[in-house]
Amino acid sequence: MNKGELVMNNLMQQGCPVLFGCGTVNQIGVEAKKLKITKALCVYDNTMKNTGTADRVIGCLTDEGIEVVSFDKVLPDPPEEICDEGAELGRKEKVDGVIAIGGGSTIDTAKAIDILLTNPGKIDDYFGHPFPSMPPNPILPLISIPTTSGTGSEVTFAGVITSNKAGGKRSVLATGHFAILDPELTVTAPPSVTAQTGMDAFCHAAENITNVRDNPKSTVLASHAVKLLLEWLPVAVKDGKNLEARTQVALASNFAGIAINEGWTSYGHCMAHAMAATVVEAAHGNLCALAFPVYIKIRAEECPEKVMILADALGLNLDKDVSPRELGEAVSQRVIEFNREIGVKSLKEMGVKREDLEGHLEHGQAVLNDFNYERYDRNPKPAEFWTDKIVEVFDIYQ
Ligand SMILES: [Zn+2]
């Protein structure tokens, strides 16, 4: 396939409109009214309740005469029961819109709840792998207010939910109608959360550039996201109150989210999902950050020209005739240094032992279970290969 065909065959999706900037959260009432919301289900977690962010949003809504029903039971890696429970409340209260206040887990939970407000059954009925089909009825107006910078879920078309039956993550399809991205809301995120979510955004961008489904638009957005994160994520980690850093990181996360809507992530994310399912319970962004240096060495052999675009975004200034192996090594080392700089924890620091990994084929099999070869790779590699790669994740970053 030549470059021209690639451009012609890609859907340049624009996602949902985003109101971006400090203080924009105060517009929520006005924006909800524009979407004809009169009774909103506000979806959030304990942190949003305790920090007062949820109350601030609810105040802006009630000021505009909008009735509010609160659902404050969101949990990380959203369990399917929580989505069903939130939907039950929304159905009972006959809400006509949903507002997500929080990080990626909250936005994904809100997407799942919203599907069930216009469609029958439980959220398990709408899972699919690798991709579900679109629920028959369109969802109610959904506004997302992200409070971390990482998932880009405010602009993506899917929500990721933990399925009991599958024993891992499954997706549902729903795109929000509007998002308010106010960097001021991210200043309360502690350094570890800032680093993890920021690395999730980094991996979205960097896996997107090096994916089989990249396109010129997503590559431009993702390359810029990488540059912004390289410069500003360490600042945001060290000084959470630095609004310029928070703004640039929020922008990067949003750009990376738009990019993966079209080009998706790659098997760095599959490795992270597999480690979460079998190796260790840890934040998604932390595991993505650890998997990336191993992932990129594989991709450097498979598509050096794409990895070179990433190397340029990282400011590596490599020789144009560098070998794929040297290229992969250079990018991998740069990301390991970056992980160290912002305090990403290693598997060892999380209590994993090397002997828990070596020869454990179920870990490699979990990577394969997360795969869609149409999407990633037409030359499947066996479970042994991926088990060895997870051991490498342990070895190269201790
Ligand atoms: Zn991710």
Side-chain angles (χ1 to χ4, degrees), residues 139-394:
I139 62 171
L140 295 177
L142 169 63
I143 304 181
S144 305
I145 307 177
T147 58
T148 58
S149 297
T151 64
S153 182
E154 72 278 3
V155 288
T156 63
F157 57 75
V160 183
I161 307 296
T162 304
S163 153
N164 294 334
K165 227 182 276 169
K169 303 284 179 74
R170 286 291 177 262
S171 300
V172 290
L173 287 186
T175 304
H177 296 78
F178 198 79
I180 295 183
L181 225 178
D182 184 340
E184 279 179 9
L185 297 181
T186 67
V187 300
T188 51
S192 61
V193 174
T194 304
Q196 286 154 14
T197 51
M199 280 314 286
D200 189 23
F202 177 90
C203 293
H204 291 164
E207 287 182 32
N208 179 262
I209 296 167
T210 54
N211 201 333
V212 291
R213 273 183 53 100
D214 63 314
N215 73 44
K217 180 188 144 200
S218 69
T219 298
V220 166
L221 285 168
S223 297
H224 192 60
V226 166
K227 288 178 195 164
L228 288 177
L229 288 164
L230 204 65
E231 182 173 357
W232 292 104
L233 183 56
V235 183
V237 169
K238 280 190 199 92
D239 176 14
K241 301 254 177 301
N242 184 320
L243 262 186
E244 185 175 8
R246 291 294 193 181
T247 301
Q248 301 290 7
V249 171
L251 198 58
S253 164
N254 183 250
F255 283 177
I258 298 171
I260 58 168
N261 231 10
E262 297 169 16
W264 304 341
T265 53
S266 190
Y267 42 65
H269 260 63
C270 295
M271 290 172 71
H273 289 158
M275 288 194 282
T278 56
V279 177
V280 64
E281 222 176 274
H284 168 75
N286 196 329
L287 294 177
C288 289
L290 296 179
F292 190 85
V294 174
Y295 154 81
I296 204 62
K297 286 201 280 184
I298 307 167
R299 289 306 278 164
E301 304 278 348
E302 292 173 348
C303 55
E305 68 293 346
K306 292 181 185 180
V307 178
M308 190 53 113
I309 295 171
L310 174 60
D312 288 343
L314 288 167
L316 285 176
N317 271 328
L318 299 173
D319 232 36
K320 291 296 162 211
D321 53 9
V322 66
S323 73
R325 179 180 284 271
E326 288 165 328
L327 170 64
E329 204 52 59
V331 175
S332 180
Q333 280 308 321
R334 181 67 190 94
V335 176
I336 288 173
E337 273 168 36
F338 192 61
N339 278 342
R340 290 216 169 92
E341 186 184 351
I342 60 171
V344 167
K345 275 193 180 156
S346 67
L347 288 178
K348 198 175 177 182
E349 284 168 312
M350 289 188 263
V352 177
K353 295 190 181 72
R354 196 174 190 279
E355 55 265 35
D356 298 338
L357 306 174
E358 212 174 14
H360 283 254
L361 278 192
E362 69 272 24
H363 299 161
Q365 190 56 47
V367 182
L368 291 178
N369 292 347
D370 204 69
F371 256 47
N372 168 12
Y373 276 108
E374 273 300 296
R375 171 180 166 190
Y376 292 116
D377 189 345
R378 289 177 178 81
N379 300 303
K381 295 173 178 74
E384 287 86 346
F385 174 87
W386 294 109
T387 294
D388 289 350
K389 290 298 161 193
I390 289 177
V391 177
E392 199 177 328
V393 171
F394 182 92

Side-chain angles (χ1 to χ4, degrees), residues 19-136:
L19 179 62
F20 186 94
C22 291
T24 50
V25 69
N26 297 324
Q27 300 295 312
I28 178 65
V30 176
E31 294 301 335
K33 255 178 137 173
K34 283 187 199 161
L35 288 170
K36 304 205 180 334
I37 298 177
T38 64
K39 188 174 183 180
L41 182 69
C42 286
V43 179
Y44 51 94
D45 66 7
N46 242 329
T47 310
M48 289 304 111
K49 195 168 151 178
N50 297 337
T51 54
T53 304
D55 280 346
R56 184 174 168 198
V57 171
I58 290 168
C60 294
L61 289 165
T62 51
D63 282 352
E64 291 295 325
I66 295 167
E67 238 186 291
V68 170
V69 177
S70 285
F71 181 71
D72 60 6
K73 297 185 179 173
V74 173
L75 294 173
D77 300 316
E80 57 175 271
E81 304 82 17
I82 297 290
C83 305
D84 293 335
E85 196 183 326
E88 212 176 293
L89 178 67
R91 284 168 177 166
K92 195 178 93 201
E93 294 284 347
K94 297 192 169 47
V95 298
D96 54 15
V98 178
I99 294 170
I101 311 158
S105 295
T106 299
I107 298 171
D108 289 354
T109 301
K111 285 178 177 176
I113 290 173
D114 205 336
I115 287 171
L116 296 177
L117 293 179
T118 52
N119 293 279
K122 294 186 179 269
I123 202 60
D124 179 61
D125 303 332
Y126 299 92
F127 289 145
H129 185 63
F131 273 104
S133 48
M134 191 59 87

